[in-house]
Amino acid sequence: MPGSGFAALAAYLDDSASEEQRRAAAAALCQSLHAGDTTVVQVVVHLEEWCTSSDHLKRGMGTRALAEVVTGAPTVLLLEQLSLIVPFLGDRLADWSSTEPAARALTAILRRKQSNREIE
């Protein structure tokens, strides 16, 4: 993943990061996505080990980072990407450590659908 997007994602996932630092990192990641410097696919590939970890804290943080992308940069998500992300997030609803971020991301997708009829 190119520099700024990777650095922002790494900062977001840092165990020692404060909530304020995570908000700033999420904003930087979304800005990198909007600018085209980073792609959703690159973020998802990087988050794979986080989102599928046996460590519930790491898994929850990975889902939370994915939710930041979905809520902060919804216009960069393509229909093909949504067709993969939505079922994954739906499955995360059953994982207590990922329930809140998954629900937040799915809500953002539903709001996008309501305001933008291109998603069918």
Side-chain angles (χ1 to χ4, degrees):
M1 177 181 318
S4 64
F6 179 76
L9 187 55
Y12 187 90
L13 296 170
D14 185 341
D15 289 339
S16 64
S18 68
E19 284 306 309
E20 183 176 323
Q21 290 168 320
R22 282 199 173 96
R23 278 191 297 278
L29 176 58
C30 291
Q31 182 178 17
S32 179
L33 286 161
H34 282 292
D37 299 331
T38 305
T39 67
V40 173
V41 172
Q42 290 171 319
V43 172
V44 169
V45 167
H46 186 77
L47 288 174
E48 181 180 11
E49 77 173 85
W50 286 81
C51 292
T52 60
S53 175
S54 60
D55 177 345
H56 70 95
L57 295 175
K58 189 172 183 178
R59 201 170 53 249
M61 186 56 67
T63 305
R64 193 172 157 193
L66 181 58
E68 293 290 353
V69 169
V70 171
T71 59
T75 58
V76 301
L77 294 168
L78 303 175
L79 186 56
E80 296 82 19
Q81 294 164 336
L82 286 172
S83 69
L84 297 173
I85 291 172
V86 168
F88 172 79
L89 290 169
D91 289 345
R92 296 295 83 192
L93 292 173
D95 178 1
W96 186 248
S97 62
S98 298
T99 299
E100 186 276 329
R104 189 166 35 92
L106 288 167
T107 300
I109 291 167
L110 287 171
R111 286 187 179 135
R112 175 183 167 186
K113 181 173 178 7
Q114 291 170 348
S115 66
N116 186 354
R117 291 294 171 197
E118 107 241 2
I119 302 173
E120 295 297 331

